[in-house]
Amino acid sequence: AQTVTQSQPEMSVQEAETVTLSCTYDTSESDYYLFWYKQPPSRQMILVIRQEAYKQQNATENRFSVNFQKAAKSFSLKISDSQLGDAAMYFCAYRRPGQFYFGTGTSLTVIP
Amino acid sequence: DTGVSQDPRHKITKRGQNVTFRCDPISEHNRLYWYRQTLGQGPEFLTYFQNEAQLEKSRLLSDRFSAERPKGSFSTLEIQRTEQGDSAMYLCASSSRAGSDTQYFGPGTRLTVL
């Protein structure tokens, strides 16, 4: 079975600082995709970043980057220079064809 | 590209009633997904369409739930004989066939069953 685990229900970070959100997953597949989605309060889910499992290079999108450790089945999200607008629920997701699995989320608070 | 839209945004119904939700995906996307999200949880996969074909359906989905995508464009999700446990946010997402199948989510329909 494929499962996604986010072990940090809540995290906080000072504005302009860096924070890392953790995610682990369980799979027997070799070809899959991983995603981080952001869900602000009462707003819709937005894609933050994605990673193809066959790529060794970690994905980066502006202030957002991932640390993808395939052997360890770990996929953490690093947010640099945190901004107030980064406050949201963050979900890690795993995808193989036709199936998506989401973690339970990490609620990020940004302290001014 | 107007994004994924869902209608209605909120629905309050009495236990035992039937409800139907609509999802309009991004126009060039041929894949459409339905999820259910309860408070404090991540989205839970319900079902998946590629064009008009329903290719995957969660085993957690009871027979009271049915989804259609008759022309491969918009989709409807119907819940029959609603129960209080059906209260949740119902999310729709769409993606294109190419690449990583990145999903773009709609705003959701919040269902409250009294």
Side-chain angles (χ1 to χ4, degrees), chain A residues 30-103:
Chain A
S30 59
D31 186 21
Y32 52 87
Y33 292 88
L34 297 163
F35 304 83
W36 278 98
Y37 280 89
K38 168 185 176 181
Q39 190 175 40
S42 301
R43 295 182 63 187
Q44 65 196 78
M45 195 96 68
I46 303 166
L47 175 70
V48 174
I49 198 166
R50 67 171 177 255
Q51 173 79 43
E52 293 90 337
Y54 64 86
K55 289 187 177 179
Q56 293 184 336
Q57 186 174 8
N58 290 325
T60 299
E61 288 287 345
N62 301 314
R63 298 182 296 107
F64 298 89
S65 62
V66 299
N67 183 6
F68 174 48
Q69 302 289 329
K70 190 172 184 179
K73 297 178 184 176
S74 171
F75 183 60
S76 61
L77 174 69
K78 185 172 81 171
I79 306 174
S80 304
D81 185 26
S82 297
Q83 301 176 0
L84 295 178
D86 295 334
M89 198 75 170
Y90 286 81
F91 292 99
C92 178
Y94 163 95
R95 177 245 171 194
R96 61 182 291 272
Q99 297 179 10
F100 264 88
Y101 299 89
F102 285 81

